[in-house]
Amino acid sequence: MPTNFTVVPVEDSAAASPDPEDGVERVQDDEVAVDSGPETCAEGDESPLEDSPFMSNSDHESSCYDGKNMALFEEEMDSNPMVSSLLNKLANYTNLTQGVVEHEEAENDRVAVKSPQMGTFIGVYLPCMQNILGVILFLRLTWIVGTAGIVGSFLIVFMCCACTMLTAISMSAIATNGVVPAGGSYYMISRSLGPEFGGAVGLCFYLGTTFAGSMYILGTIEILLMYIVKSAALFGMNDLTDPEEKTKAMLNNMRVYGTCCLAFMALLVFVGVKYVNKLALVFLSCVVLSIMAMYTGVIKTAISTPNDTVCLLGNRSLQNGNFEVCRKTEMRGNETQPTQLWELFCKGSLHNSTCDEYFDLNNVTEIKAIPGLLSGVITENLWGSYGPSGMLVEKKEQPSISVSDKTEERYESPARTYVVNDIATCFTLLVGIYFPSVTGIMAGSNRSGDLRDAQRSIPIGTILAIATTSIIYISCVLLFGASIEGVVLRDKFGESVKSSLVLGTLAWPSKWVIIIGSFFSCCGAGLQSLTGAPRLLQAIARDKLMPFLQVFGHAKANGEPTWALLLTAAICEIGILIASLDSVAPILSMFFLMCYLFVNLACAVQTLLRTPNWRPRFKFYHWTLSFLGMSLCLSLMFISSWYYALTTILIAGCIYKYIEYSGAEKEWGDGIHGLSLNAARYALIKLEEAPPHTKNWRPQVLVLLKLDSDLVVKHPRLLSFTTQLKAGKGLTIVSSVLEGAYMNRGADAKLSEQNVKAAMSAEKSKGFCHVVVSSNLRDGFSHLIQTAGLGGMKHNTVLIAWPANWKQKENPITWENFTETVRETTAAHQALLVAKNIDLFPSNHERLGEGTIDVWWIVHDGGLLMLLPFLLRQHKVWRKCKMRIFTVAQMDDNSIQMKKDLQMFLYHLRLDAEVEVVEMHESDISAFTYEKTLVMEQRSQMIKQMQLSKTEREREAQLIHDRHTRSHPAAHKDKVSPSPDGVHMTWTKEKLVSERSRNREASMAVRDLFNMKPNQSNVRRMHTAVKLNEAVVKKSKDAQLVLLNMPGPPKHTGGYENYMEFLEVLMEGLDRVLLVRGGGREVITIYS
């Protein structure tokens, strides 16, 4: 054998033609191929086309085989392209977005598609910034800082930002592990964790995005009605005095205006996303300008403080919208006159009035709303001030004279004057309200199809955006606490500063920069949610994971998901009807946290499994970081709201089970599949360490099926019986053997496996299927018995059908295969179950009524006979059947004591069964038994000695059968024997002579056969079979199922046919019989 070789070009001036000598097709040399140009490729019949999932074959010229100097690998080119061609196609590969592809289809390829050109800053960084910075920053962050304090707010911001940063690291690893098409987080999770997790988390992410739209719309309406156009309120909030009535009116206004705003936004999205995209820059500019105005205002407070003031009565903050002067009285001319504030707390004239006791005892003080960055107010705002709904907002450092609660309860007027908490506050509530402000980190990955280099841009842009926004949030916590008065921070709606936006009082040059900027920012975020959520639902629907969602996969001609948009608007309306931004925020926090949790889980699973395809370009990740992020997400869910968390987990679990139940036939190479493989490998290794204990023994069944000529399962009820016996538990291996060579019958084996799997599915039999090709059936079944299973998951029981027509077979191979199978299972110490009349067994849809399962316990071989009825009765088919156990007593046995002992034994085994002892007295062997044995031996010897043709052998068998039938017509009245076929022979003189001599020898052998005497051992065996059969038929004729001890096979091959005859006699006259042969070990125990 040569150690090296050289590949040389195959040159021939003639056109390519097959060479008759060596059978190798020659090709033209390189020079001719170059000169011929397109003509060579146009002929192209001898040049195989390259076919690869990476490349398109539409360009016929480029697909022509150019590797003329690689003739040695010519045959490989049919299925494998040359490396140079592959690399060339991969270099020119472009990743188009889903929207672009849909638009191309709508325009019938009339639009020229350009390659994506978006970089990191425009494509990832700015979208993430725009999505992260939003309504919570402008409307609730000051209130969170005032309520939780600087320390508590810093902890909230740090936990939430750490959660998103860890999630971004995991997401970056997944996003850089190959090309991520349009679909973003849903695509990453579903392709990493499988369709079940992908569908569940995808729907959670969809619901989170939809409720985010509700939150942004509610924020928009709150800014509009509270700070921009206060007079637009339909239910007159400013005219009401009762705080509860005022809150109800506000919520109703939010519902009405929110519904109108949602309808307008949905209509805008329906008309066309291009209009939304045109406004994206405007919305982004509003966010940037608002933040700049905020920071500028903070810096300005260090130089000069704003003029906004807060009026305090004692230490209580007052709503200053109803009065102009923060004094009890004022001088008008030379007279002291009461102010509007005095009139709010007193009745009557100045000198003869009745005033609120707290108003009389405490002074009115006016303080700066924005003391400034250098004022030292930071020390007062370090710690939180939580309280119930209706708690007064107070400045603790301010002196105050308290009054009795009874006095305050009698006087109702101040309730509309003080600033109070509108909801009960606690740390966990603030976590749930704040978390939506850090969501939006998926904006970059959702645009992966539009990026020039997604694997580089997504990690850098997302992590930089999170770092930037985290710095902004943490700095805002510190700056707000250091420059704004505490009572103003805790004033959610700015009622103490003329009902102005608290952050607006800090802004420079004008509060309207923040108000208008936050208004348009919320509008833009709401439009983005209504744009993205329907497409996410459309992507889930098009994956066909959930059948009821398929209608939402349809779209308009231009690709817009109309039905998905309608559903999104309907769900969004639910959030708007809730009407409270503080109530909606925790809901979407749950859904986003669930999504982020599974992003971290996906990265951790892929990293720990070390799958060969896990090769992210982003290297700064570790499975511990992913687990930390996953734990943080789960903790934040339960910290925010434990009942919301449980509800979200329950929703995700229901979706998971529904997808699993509906049978999503998707194979995405997900990590859960790899996790299952690792878990299975570990479990198999552990199982192999020691054999199972008797208490853990259950039948692990190897079902040996027979296939007909069409490769269809001949006895599907075997699978039904397996299902009833197993009830879905334990191991089931369904196997069959095809006779022949694998190279010739490989396709038949695959087709057979498909047919067997279809039969298993129809019979609801869960297990594994394996069809082997062997030179003969006996070897095939032997190999299956020896090698089926893996490690500790090997079968311990073999189930086969009784060969009912073994007598009609002209070839003894049928019963030889059967008896060999019996012998091999016995040698392998495996249990054997043989079902007679298997086609009469009940299907899984039948329900057997009153009846019995009769067990004939002749010899003890491990207790399998008693365990099987118990297992069968666990299934609904056999549940109503009762169990009866018969045992046989001989002459010298005490039948009464045997019955008592057996009943006690069954009691300890915890089995409910009727017990009966059948006495079989020793009796003379009947003439029928003697003659039946003789006929059996004569037939066996005849077929062995007489080398007859097929037709003559059938004729002799028929002769013996007819003779026996005449002697005992009643025993065989239902049996029909095959009639012999006609004989067509062409005779020559030599044939005639040889045939006459053979016939003379055969005739002498036949005369000897009819003069022979039966073997006494066979007579005794036949006598036992006949007598036992009589007892079984008498007692169990009407039983639904009869279980019998299966006698052992003969030790030598000469008695195969006799053995089959014994079994046939033993089961004669019974409809459903299960012969049971134990594996030689105890399978049932009385101990717990």
Side-chain angles (χ1 to χ4, degrees), residues 954-997:
E954 288 181 348
R955 185 183 297 124
E956 292 298 331
Q958 185 68 28
L959 176 65
I960 297 174
H961 181 271
D962 292 343
R963 178 171 175 267
H964 176 62
T965 304
R966 285 193 299 271
S967 302
H968 303 278
H972 298 270
K973 62 181 178 180
D974 295 331
K975 295 186 178 180
V976 179
S977 299
S979 58
D981 301 331
V983 181
H984 302 280
M985 304 180 67
T986 302
W987 294 95
T988 62
K989 185 177 181 179
E990 291 79 6
K991 277 188 177 181
L992 183 60
V993 173
S994 61
E995 187 67 20
R996 283 179 176 174
S997 84

Side-chain angles (χ1 to χ4, degrees), residues 316 357 402-411:
R316 300 177 181 178
E357 184 180 0
S402 60
V403 295
S404 63
D405 293 336
K406 294 182 179 179
T407 305
E408 291 186 18
E409 287 177 2
R410 286 198 309 267
Y411 191 77

Side-chain angles (χ1 to χ4, degrees), residues 718-1019:
L718 268 178
L719 301 175
S720 302
F721 183 71
T722 306
T723 304
Q724 296 158 19
L725 181 64
K726 307 284 295 173
K729 304 294 190 297
L731 174 70
T732 300
I733 305 175
V734 182
S735 300
S736 187
V737 178
L738 297 181
E739 201 165 1
Y742 183 74
M743 296 300 294
N744 300 329
R745 305 205 63 184
D748 290 344
K750 292 182 179 179
L751 178 60
S752 302
E753 282 199 6
Q754 294 176 1
N755 293 338
V756 172
K757 288 179 180 177
M760 292 173 66
S761 177
E763 301 296 335
K764 297 181 180 180
S765 179
K766 296 181 179 179
F768 306 100
C769 169
H770 191 43
V771 176
V772 299
V773 181
S774 179
S775 58
N776 58 73
L777 295 178
R778 182 187 298 181
D779 290 344
F781 286 127
S782 175
H783 296 158
L784 285 172
I785 292 171
Q786 295 176 60
T787 63
L790 181 64
M793 288 293 286
K794 290 184 70 68
H795 63 279
N796 53 30
T797 306
V798 178
L799 173 62
I800 57 176
W802 171 258
N805 58 347
W806 66 274
K807 286 186 177 181
Q808 284 76 35
K809 295 290 185 180
E810 68 279 357
N811 194 342
I813 195 67
T814 301
W815 64 76
E816 289 180 0
N817 286 343
F818 177 82
T819 50
E820 280 295 328
T821 302
V822 176
R823 293 183 64 190
E824 286 173 356
T825 53
T826 303
H829 302 289
Q830 296 172 2
L832 177 66
L833 308 179
V834 180
K836 181 191 176 185
N837 295 332
I838 185 62
D839 295 328
L840 299 179
F841 276 55
S843 67
N844 291 325
H845 304 291
E846 296 181 38
R847 301 291 182 270
L848 297 180
E850 296 298 327
T852 60
I853 301 176
D854 289 358
V855 178
W856 285 81
W857 191 21
I858 312 302
V859 294
H860 179 67
D861 54 359
L864 183 59
L865 264 174
M866 290 175 287
L867 183 62
L868 290 177
F870 170 78
L871 296 176
L872 283 175
R873 292 178 64 208
Q874 305 304 306
H875 196 272
K876 50 193 173 184
V877 173
W878 303 89
R879 189 163 294 159
K880 294 183 179 180
C881 295
K882 296 180 179 179
M883 178 178 171
R884 295 193 302 180
I885 294 183
F886 297 89
T887 188
V888 178
Q890 299 182 22
M891 288 297 296
D892 53 351
D893 293 329
N894 187 341
S895 302
I896 299 176
Q897 187 62 38
M898 277 183 65
K899 185 173 183 178
K900 290 182 179 179
D901 293 343
L902 184 55
Q903 288 174 337
M904 182 59 65
F905 182 56
L906 292 176
Y907 175 78
H908 288 303
L909 290 176
R910 290 92 63 200
L911 294 176
D912 296 327
E914 297 179 11
V915 176
E916 187 170 342
V917 178
V918 178
E919 296 182 352
M920 289 188 65
H921 300 289
E922 187 175 352
S923 59
D924 295 334
I925 297 174
S926 65
F928 169 72
T929 302
Y930 188 88
E931 189 167 355
K932 194 174 184 71
T933 309
L934 178 60
V935 170
M936 176 188 71
E937 293 187 354
Q938 285 177 348
R939 181 176 183 274
S940 177
Q941 291 297 325
M942 184 188 304
I943 294 177
K944 289 179 182 178
Q945 294 178 9
M946 298 176 64
Q947 302 297 323
L948 303 178
S949 65
K950 171 184 174 181
T951 304
E952 291 169 323
R953 189 164 35 199
E954 288 181 348
R955 185 183 297 124
E956 292 298 331
Q958 185 68 28
L959 176 65
I960 297 174
H961 181 271
D962 292 343
R963 178 171 175 267
H964 176 62
T965 304
R966 285 193 299 271
S967 302
H968 303 278
H972 298 270
K973 62 181 178 180
D974 295 331
K975 295 186 178 180
V976 179
S977 299
S979 58
D981 301 331
V983 181
H984 302 280
M985 304 180 67
T986 302
W987 294 95
T988 62
K989 185 177 181 179
E990 291 79 6
K991 277 188 177 181
L992 183 60
V993 173
S994 61
E995 187 67 20
R996 283 179 176 174
S997 84
R998 284 180 62 226
N999 285 342
R1000 282 195 299 269
E1001 296 174 1
S1003 300
M1004 293 175 60
V1006 170
R1007 284 195 298 271
D1008 293 340
L1009 281 174
F1010 285 112
N1011 294 328
M1012 67 181 292
K1013 292 184 179 180
N1015 185 286
Q1016 290 302 313
S1017 175
N1018 287 340
V1019 172

Side-chain angles (χ1 to χ4, degrees), residues 253-270:
N253 280 302
M254 299 283 281
R255 293 184 180 104
V256 174
Y257 278 97
T259 303
C260 296
C261 183
L262 172 63
F264 174 75
M265 288 184 176
L267 182 62
L268 184 60
V269 173
F270 178 77

Side-chain angles (χ1 to χ4, degrees), residues 160 163-164 431-439 589 592-593 596 636:
C160 295
C163 176
T164 54
V431 173
I433 293 175
Y434 173 76
F435 187 81
S437 66
V438 297
T439 60
S589 295
F592 278 118
L593 281 167
Y596 296 166
L636 286 175

Side-chain angles (χ1 to χ4, degrees), residues 9 82 167 268 379 440 481 491 679 688 692 700 754 814 953 988 1023:
M82 288 192 64
T167 303
L268 184 60
T379 57
D491 185 2
E688 201 172 21
Q700 317 283 13
Q754 294 176 1
T814 301
R953 189 164 35 199
T988 62
H1023 176 66

